[in-house]
Each structure stands twice: as structure tokens, then as C-alpha cells.
Amino acid sequence: MPEHPAYPVGLRLTGRRVLVLGGGTVVQRRLPALLAAGADVRLVAPEVTPAVEAMAEAGELVWQRRGYRPGDLEGAWYALVATDDPGVNAAASAEAEERRVWCVRSDDAEAATAWTPATGRVDGVTVAVLTGRDPRRSAAVRDGVVEALRDGTLTAPRHRGRHPGVALVGGGPGDPDLITVRGRRLLAQADVVIADRLGPRELLDELPPHVEVVDAAKIPYGRAMAQEAINAALVEHARAGRFVVRLKGGDPYVFGRGGEEAAELAAAGVPVTVVPGVTSAISVPGAAGIPVTHRGVAHEFTVVSGHVAPDDPRSLVDWPALAALRGTLVLLMAVERIGAIADTLVRHGRPPTTPVAVVQEGTMAGQRRVDATLATVAARVAEEGVRPPAVIVVGDVVRVAAG
């Protein structure tokens, strides 16, 4: 090969014949990308790996159970030569050269007329890296770019084919590293971000200057109209042709009112995408060393909203039934009413000695844990000055890590 660099090009193989010689592990690795490209794959090999055989049995490719024969490259647009016989590989490569078919050779890159780049795909973007004779470096560069695109640290906003709409993104319990890969990627593509105070705030600083960031708590509204005003803002921005990310803490559908927002957007004809998030109900106890289930201790856990007291007529919680359960209770938004909740649980049968842990600002730099029992938790919360946001765990799992 001359010292000139390879000329990169994207082959459009849909419906076009590709000849693959060999059925070993190299072919097994390369076939999925060829099939994903829509190629008409004809595979010639006496034997193949079980995975390749499964592809043939599923009708994804045509397998001819024999060795290479001159003429096999007729009608091919591209060839992958990967047998374990150098003589066969050389003969097939020579036929490809004669027929002007681009040919990749797994055994001798210098004799090939094409090289396979290290390839990755993220959100409609194909990353292909060639470093000549150093495939490990190619793979390392590919992995770095793909990972950066996935987690949003490398932003590549769309300029064609962009569509307005809203993404309801669960930002996780607070630590910016705990947002999902898809959530961070969509956040990097936003024109407008409407954020809750419990979302991962540090990520907002990484947004480009043109992105409008709206604090949901500061949208003008009367006290009873908060959610309605947020819904209206989402619809207004989307109808103006913008891509909007509604950034929430935890998961949009776990006490996040995401269902209400999705219904409002659907009624307004606005496309909506829901991106699940890591809920604080599980992640915050885990960050504090508490498993919500544990073999021989708890076979179930129940997540309960404590935003209204047990005796409040608006409460939809069956507190007597909860008190009768033997598993773990995870209470969200319950700091201000923990005394009434603890009294109710004890009154309906939970032992007053039941362990309780209160985890404030879980997964964040200010995380702290306060341990108590149902009998003492209200006093401990007051003594320690515990403030929301905090997750309260009730049950024997609280003592698992310590015991």
C-alpha cells in the first residue's frame, strides 16, 4: 500500500450483494453491521460459529456450505475475506481486484483494497475511525467519541431534521452522574430547559449560552395554578418550534407529575418523549448503604408519598394496610409529617422499635443519614434539623449494613 491515507467513504449497501468468505469469530463480529446496513449477504464457508448459523437459520443471510470457488464474487459490491487459509484469501482477493470489488482481508490488511474502520453509532450518528495499522488505537478513539456523544459531554446538535417537541427527562436523585445517558444527550440538544429544583442543577451550567433555562418554581402563577402554568409553558415553547426538555428530579412518573404533563402535551398535539430516571426511592437508600430488599429480611418494598398527613381527607394511602406489611416502607416528601406518619404506623400494628433511617440530600455532597425508630424518629428529625429533600426508610433493612 502507498503511504497516502485511506479515503473514507460511507457505503450504502441496502439491497446490494456482499460476499463473505469464512464463518469464524471475525465474521461473527462483522456480520451485524453489514446486516444492519441492509446488505444482501451471501456467506460461503464449510463451517460457521453457532451465532453465524443462527443468523442463517433466521433468514438474515444466505449460507452456502462449501469453500470458495472462482466466480463467487460475480455481482458483489463489497467483499469480506476471512477464511483461515491464506491461499484462499489471496485467490479471492485477486478475483475481487479483477472484478473491481472493494475487498477487506482479515489476514493481510496491506493486501486489501479496503479497511474496516472502528465503528460506533449514537443517536443517528455513525463514528468511523481509521488509524491505518493500529486498530487498537482506532477502537480507543472510537470509544472516546461515542462515550462523549452518549453522555452529552460532546455536543452535536441537529441542524437538519430537527423536530419541536418535549422530552420529560428524569434527572435522577441529584448527583449529575446519575442522569441516564439518553437524558443527558437530549438535554444537550435542548432549546429550552424547564427545570425543577430537585433536578441535577450542575448540568445546567454545561448548556450552551443560547439555551433558555426556566426555573419551574419561578413561572408566574397563583398557588393553585402551578402545574397548569408549567403545562402551558411546555406547550407554548413547543408550538413555537423549540425542542423543550422538562428536567425533573428522580423519575418523571414517580410522584413527579409527569403523567399530567404528558397528558396535557398529548391533548395539545405536542410530541412527547418520556425518559425514565433513577428514582430517589431506591437510589438514595442505596447511596446511604441501605438495600430496600434483602434476602431473609424484606421481600417487598412500598413507596409512599407523605405530602399529606394520614388523617388528611385528601390522602389516598391505606395506612392500616401499610402498617400490616412486613417489608420496607420508603417515604418520600414526608419530613414535615413524619411524626403523624410514625404514630399512625404504630397505632395500626408496626412495632415502635422498628428501625428508621432518614437520608437528607441523598447522593449529593451534603448527604447525611439520621437513624432512629418509629418511636423516636420525630424527635430525632427535630433535633438534627433535617430538612427536605429527604428519603425516609422504615424497616429492618435499615440495620442490614450495620449488622
Side-chain angles (χ1 to χ4, degrees):
M1 294 289 290
E3 293 301 319
H4 302 296
Y7 182 80
V9 65
L11 296 181
R12 303 177 67 186
L13 294 175
T14 304
R16 296 188 167 101
R17 180 168 298 182
V18 171
L19 177 71
V20 176
L21 296 180
T25 56
V26 171
V27 168
Q28 180 178 316
R29 289 198 306 269
R30 300 282 177 83
L31 278 174
L34 292 171
L35 296 174
D40 173 17
V41 176
R42 305 298 174 94
L43 186 143
V44 176
E47 298 179 351
V48 298
T49 68
V52 173
E53 185 173 3
M55 296 178 200
E57 290 176 349
E60 295 180 276
L61 53 86
V62 175
W63 174 26
Q64 298 182 37
R65 304 188 186 202
R66 58 173 177 80
Y68 161 74
R69 297 171 185 167
D72 279 341
L73 280 116
E74 183 177 357
W77 291 69
Y78 182 75
L80 169 60
V81 177
T83 78
D84 57 5
D85 186 332
V88 168
N89 294 344
S93 182
E95 183 184 349
E97 182 79 18
E98 181 182 348
R99 294 180 180 272
R100 297 184 179 181
V101 177
W102 294 112
C103 178
V104 174
R105 281 185 63 172
S106 65
D107 66 329
D108 188 351
E110 293 298 320
T113 54
W115 291 337
T116 302
T119 306
R121 293 173 180 82
V122 183
D123 194 30
V125 175
T126 298
V127 177
V129 181
L130 284 171
T131 56
R133 300 169 182 81
D134 194 347
R136 291 187 179 182
R137 187 182 183 204
S138 297
V141 174
R142 181 268 320 273
D143 292 344
V145 175
V146 167
E147 182 62 27
L149 285 171
R150 280 178 176 162
D151 66 21
T153 54
L154 175 60
T155 59
R158 296 175 184 267
H159 296 282
R160 295 183 181 179
R162 295 182 77 247
H163 300 289
V166 174
L168 305 179
V169 174
D175 184 335
D177 286 342
L178 295 179
I179 190 173
T180 64
V181 169
R182 189 180 186 199
R184 188 158 186 170
R185 187 168 67 241
L186 291 179
L187 186 64
Q189 297 173 6
D191 300 308
V192 179
V193 177
I194 298 179
D196 280 347
R197 68 181 182 89
L198 296 181
R201 294 168 295 181
E202 289 90 339
L203 295 179
L204 301 179
D205 291 337
E206 300 177 4
L207 297 173
H210 72 273
V211 178
E212 180 180 355
V213 178
V214 180
D215 184 345
K218 295 181 180 179
I219 294 178
Y221 45 67
R223 183 173 180 82
M225 295 295 291
Q227 189 61 52
E228 289 80 357
I230 293 171
N231 294 348
L234 292 170
V235 172
E236 177 184 351
H237 283 294
R239 283 181 170 171
R242 305 180 183 103
F243 177 59
V244 185
V245 167
R246 175 74 168 103
L247 183 61
K248 297 172 168 290
D251 182 276
Y253 283 178
V254 180
F255 305 130
R257 307 190 75 168
E260 298 173 47
E261 293 170 356
E264 185 75 17
L265 292 165
V270 174
V272 59
T273 300
V274 178
V275 181
V278 178
T279 175
S280 61
I282 300 171
S283 58
V284 167
I290 303 170
V292 293
T293 63
H294 192 78
R295 186 163 55 114
V297 178
H299 290 177
E300 86 269 354
F301 68 96
T302 306
V303 183
V304 183
S305 170
H307 73 287
V308 295
D311 60 353
D312 191 307
R314 297 171 298 168
S315 176
L316 302 177
V317 178
D318 187 342
W319 290 103
L322 284 180
L325 294 176
R326 299 176 61 186
T328 306
L329 297 183
V330 180
L331 307 174
L332 305 183
M333 301 175 286
V335 170
E336 297 174 355
R337 285 157 288 276
I338 187 55
I341 290 172
D343 289 345
T344 300
L345 290 172
V346 171
R347 186 167 66 252
H348 290 288
R350 275 267 179 161
T353 55
T354 301
V356 178
V358 183
V359 185
Q360 180 179 322
E361 297 184 26
T363 77
M364 303 294 288
Q367 174 180 310
R368 63 169 175 151
R369 170 177 168 173
V370 175
D371 284 77
T373 65
L374 282 177
T376 64
V377 64
R380 290 282 290 145
V381 164
E383 291 168 4
E384 295 291 336
V386 176
R387 303 181 309 277
V391 173
I392 301 174
V393 185
V394 179
D396 291 335
V397 292
V398 168
R399 292 181 179 156
V400 165

